[in-house]
Amino acid sequence: MKFIKVMPLLLLGFFVLVSSAYGETINQSMEGSMDIQITHPDEAIVGRIASISVLIKNNGWEDKQDISFIFTSQDNSMIPILDNNITIKKLSQGSSFGGSIDFKISSDVNPGIHFLNVKYSQVLVSNNKEPQEPSVYDIAIPIVVKNEPSVIIHTITPDAIFTNAEFPFIVEIISKDIEISNVNVEIIPPRDIQFRGETLHSFSNIQKNSPIIINSRIISPIEEVNTEYKMPFNIIVRYTDDVGEEKIESQAISVILRPRTFMELTTDGGIWIGDFFIAPYVSIGTIIGIPAGAIISLLIRKSQKSTKKRLKKRKE
């Protein structure tokens, strides 16, 4: 009778959650120091191909034979392109083997987490002479299935701005799942805002998980405001996906325009003190002198007003 060795369910559940739920590689040591590594995507797209690769090494001193990986999807969400198994006739001490297998994500699968089950089997050759009963291990690979690839727009800008000043406006485009081509990025600011730089950018392609960063600066209105209000910006990304379809992603953000206070620090190291602007390259003496001069000037004006009021009262 064949001896079947199956991992306890609790141990398997713990391994899946800790090692592979958010990663892309499963590492395990089997009987006889057989180390296996299964690399898989965390996410897959409906109708696309997902590739699973396997690397196995015999670190023990005894040979192993009749080694196999059998992949199955219980809900048929992942369909093998050719075979659903990888087999190795024999691995001697210190030898290794690598292989891969492709699956197509079914077009009628529901988005969410789906499991690709792997049944691993091996035969240990005791003292390199006598084959033992097969040892069998079960491994579950979780893969998140999505309807569409993710193209993410991330905008970095101050939460609030004030008048008559410049501020950074950074747009980052990331394609998480696929390479995209014919990419056009349009930044649409409100009428009151001027842009230092281009508002339309083009890229021939953006590689998977390789962000493209657009650095611009916005110039706020010159006229002072008495109350704060929101200023809307729109970012529109047009591109062609990996199957030739034209897609559009967009993002709308709001930046608060508020009144300027007596002293303001700009993002590039400049300082506004009242109506005076001190550039970042101005000396420390000037930076200290202007606020001191402004404060003394205010005190002198206040003293003059108090003196005039006292003289006026005496005359009356």
Side-chain angles (χ1 to χ4, degrees):
M1 180 178 178
K2 291 186 177 181
F3 171 74
I4 298 179
K5 186 176 181 181
V6 180
M7 295 180 187
L9 290 176
L10 287 176
L11 179 61
L12 175 59
F14 176 82
F15 179 83
V16 168
L17 286 174
V18 173
S19 302
S20 62
Y22 300 103
E24 294 185 349
T25 301
I26 295 174
N27 293 289
Q28 279 197 2
S29 290
M30 304 304 184
E31 184 182 7
S33 298
M34 287 284 280
D35 292 335
I36 69 169
Q37 183 181 85
I38 302 175
T39 303
H40 66 91
D42 279 340
E43 299 177 336
I45 312 300
V46 169
R48 300 324 202 264
I49 304 297
S51 293
I52 313 293
S53 63
V54 169
L55 177 63
I56 182 168
K57 185 171 183 180
N58 184 4
N59 289 315
W61 63 274
E62 294 173 303
D63 294 345
K64 315 297 184 305
Q65 65 184 36
D66 301 326
I67 304 157
S68 67
F69 295 82
I70 300 174
F71 297 83
T72 56
S73 174
Q74 225 171 13
D75 57 0
N76 292 320
S77 58
M78 302 174 210
I79 305 165
I81 300 297
L82 295 174
D83 296 327
N84 72 329
N85 63 84
I86 295 173
T87 58
I88 309 151
K89 188 174 181 180
K90 182 180 178 180
L91 277 182
S92 56
Q93 178 186 0
S95 60
S96 60
F97 176 89
S100 63
I101 189 166
D102 293 334
F103 294 85
K104 183 174 182 180
I105 309 302
S106 175
S107 57
D108 57 359
V109 67
N110 292 322
I113 298 177
H114 294 262
F115 288 89
L116 188 62
N117 300 310
V118 185
K119 188 173 288 293
Y120 171 79
S121 177
Q122 68 176 38
V123 172
L124 185 146
V125 183
S126 179
N127 297 316
N128 294 331
K129 293 180 180 180
E130 300 176 3
Q132 303 298 299
E133 295 295 324
S135 298
V136 179
Y137 300 80
D138 290 314
I139 303 171
I141 302 175
I143 297 177
V144 177
V145 175
K146 303 190 298 185
N147 270 330
E148 296 289 342
S150 296
V151 175
I152 298 172
I153 305 170
H154 182 49
T155 306
I156 304 170
T157 191
D159 293 331
I161 61 176
F162 50 86
T163 55
N164 197 23
E166 288 191 19
F167 300 91
F169 194 92
I170 302 170
V171 177
E172 183 183 62
I173 311 296
I174 304 174
S175 179
K176 288 188 63 179
D177 307 297
I178 59 171
E179 178 183 347
I180 58 178
S181 58
N182 304 321
V183 184
N184 291 296
V185 182
E186 184 179 8
I187 304 170
I188 305 175
R191 293 181 180 178
D192 296 339
I193 293 290
Q194 296 182 22
F195 244 79
R196 189 177 297 283
E198 298 294 329
T199 56
L200 184 62
H201 302 264
S202 298
F203 305 92
S204 57
N205 64 75
I206 297 178
Q207 297 293 322
K208 174 183 174 181
N209 274 328
S210 297
I212 294 293
I213 298 175
I214 300 169
N215 287 288
S216 303
R217 296 185 69 82
I218 56 176
I219 306 172
S220 59
I222 296 176
E223 294 183 7
E224 294 291 337
V225 294
N226 297 320
T227 59
E228 64 179 39
Y229 61 94
K230 292 182 178 179
M231 307 195 75
F233 291 79
N234 289 292
I235 299 93
I236 301 173
V237 179
R238 297 178 174 86
Y239 64 93
T240 303
D241 67 11
D242 58 332
V243 294
E245 294 184 2
E246 295 183 358
K247 299 290 181 68
I248 297 177
E249 299 288 341
S250 63
Q251 182 188 59
I253 65 166
S254 293
V255 176
I256 295 174
L257 178 66
R258 61 169 176 79
R260 192 171 65 202
T261 60
F262 176 73
M263 182 178 290
E264 294 279 9
L265 297 175
T266 63
T267 54
D268 55 3
I271 304 175
W272 278 98
I273 302 175
D275 293 329
F276 296 97
F277 177 69
I278 306 171
Y281 49 81
V282 173
S283 67
I284 294 176
T286 305
I287 292 175
I288 296 172
I290 291 180
I295 293 170
I296 292 170
S297 178
L298 289 173
L299 292 173
I300 291 172
R301 289 180 186 178
K302 187 175 181 181
S303 176
Q304 288 175 343
K305 288 181 180 179
S306 299
T307 303
K308 287 180 180 179
K309 286 181 180 179
R310 286 198 298 270
L311 290 174
K312 188 175 181 182
K313 286 181 179 179
R314 287 177 184 176
K315 289 180 180 180
E316 291 176 351

